[in-house]
Amino acid sequence: MPNERLRAAMAAGGWTYATLAKAVEVDPKSVERWANLGRTPRRTTALAAANALGENVHALWPALRQARPARAISPELVALYEQRADVPVSTFVDLITQARERIDVLVYAAIFLHEAYPRLNDLLKERVAEGCQVRIAIGDPASENVQARGQEERFGHGIESRCRLALMHYRPLVGVPGIEVRTHDTTLYNSLYRADDHLLVNAHVWGVNAYGAPMWHLRRSEGGGIFDTYVKSFDAVWAAAAPVHQEG
């Protein structure tokens, strides 16, 4: 079936098969098939042709309104774990050890790190001694959002106690040059563990404890993308978080 809208646009602008083909760098026979047989060009070619004609690409080729299929694998995705419990603690430790510029942690408690790797504070001190900047954001146990998470995960007051325990673990780092510790009261959709261009994202699922929720490992690719979306989220929470001060 001919593409009458395309034919009309070409006629109005004085375009021939040859001139439009030259403008979008295709064979004139391709343009002829678009016009006379109703063929739909590839999206990038269609956009170039629509721009040349001064038309809306979807008006010329309505089929392009259909959503493009999602990529099966993002170039930023290194690994996908069914649950956080499947991720060896050595994965966290190795990423922190390899960091040279930036370590960021956004959690409610995540005391599993200190429990499984008691040298965590020493490792963080070693990293800042080598020039890293470290930011740790943990949940404020008095926060309504923390308390709500406890109810959702059927932990009751347990998660508030875990936040206090996390603060106890990290408090010795308060005042160490290069390390900042803050508490936040935001709704935590994901726990984030960043080491330079690597990021572990623990998605939170309503009614499921964090250790049973999925986790994915991202590596920043050129142009940012998913990685940068999470980084911006961290920065927004960090800006609203309250600094933890030294005791006494």
Side-chain angles (χ1 to χ4, degrees):
M1 181 180 296
N3 187 329
E4 299 296 348
R5 181 63 182 262
L6 176 59
R7 283 177 164 182
M10 291 179 63
W15 292 89
T16 66
Y17 301 145
T19 56
L20 183 57
K22 183 177 181 180
V24 298
E25 300 181 343
V26 298
D27 189 279
K29 291 183 178 179
S30 295
V31 179
E32 185 177 357
R33 286 191 288 269
W34 303 344
N36 296 332
L37 300 180
R39 300 285 177 82
T40 300
R42 286 182 292 185
R43 183 176 293 271
T44 53
T45 304
L47 287 169
N51 287 336
L53 295 168
E55 292 283 334
N56 182 287
V57 68
H58 295 135
L60 294 175
W61 293 286
L64 293 177
R65 289 185 182 277
Q66 299 176 1
R68 288 174 289 176
R71 288 179 298 184
I73 300 176
S74 165
E76 295 180 89
L77 183 63
V78 176
L80 175 63
Y81 301 90
E82 185 175 344
Q83 53 186 9
R84 192 196 72 197
D86 295 332
V87 185
V89 172
S90 60
T91 298
F92 294 86
V93 175
D94 289 347
L95 290 179
I96 292 173
T97 301
Q98 295 166 18
R100 295 293 178 268
E101 298 179 0
R102 170 71 62 191
I103 296 169
D104 290 332
V105 176
L106 171 61
V107 295
Y108 270 163
I111 60 174
F112 73 94
L113 284 176
H114 279 97
E115 291 174 343
Y117 190 73
R119 284 200 68 255
L120 181 61
N121 283 6
D122 291 333
L123 177 58
L124 293 173
K125 290 177 183 178
E126 291 167 7
R127 299 319 314 131
V128 297
E130 295 293 327
C132 260
Q133 295 294 310
V134 176
R135 297 184 294 179
I136 308 292
I138 57 180
D140 179 351
S143 163
E144 292 183 0
N145 286 317
V146 168
Q147 295 167 13
R149 178 62 57 82
Q151 296 300 319
E152 293 162 6
E153 295 182 357
R154 300 176 177 84
F155 259 55
H157 297 294
I159 194 167
E160 298 165 40
S161 298
R162 292 170 75 84
C163 288
R164 293 188 179 93
L165 185 56
L167 182 58
M168 182 190 76
H169 281 308
Y170 285 114
R171 187 173 286 283
L173 298 176
V174 175
V176 174
I179 298 179
E180 291 185 79
V181 181
R182 297 185 182 183
T183 58
H184 69 95
D185 61 2
T186 60
T187 300
L188 193 62
Y189 299 105
N190 302 279
S191 292
L192 306 177
Y193 307 83
R194 178 189 178 185
D196 289 343
D197 288 340
H198 288 265
L199 181 67
L200 295 173
V201 181
N202 187 189
H204 293 298
V205 180
W206 197 96
V208 177
N209 189 272
Y211 66 76
M215 172 168 270
W216 44 88
H217 179 178
L218 300 175
R219 180 174 55 235
R220 183 184 233 150
S221 63
E222 186 175 352
I226 303 173
F227 185 100
D228 283 352
T229 296
Y230 285 113
V231 168
K232 291 176 183 176
S233 174
F234 178 96
D235 288 340
V237 174
W238 184 257
V244 175
H245 300 291
Q246 290 178 300
E247 292 182 317

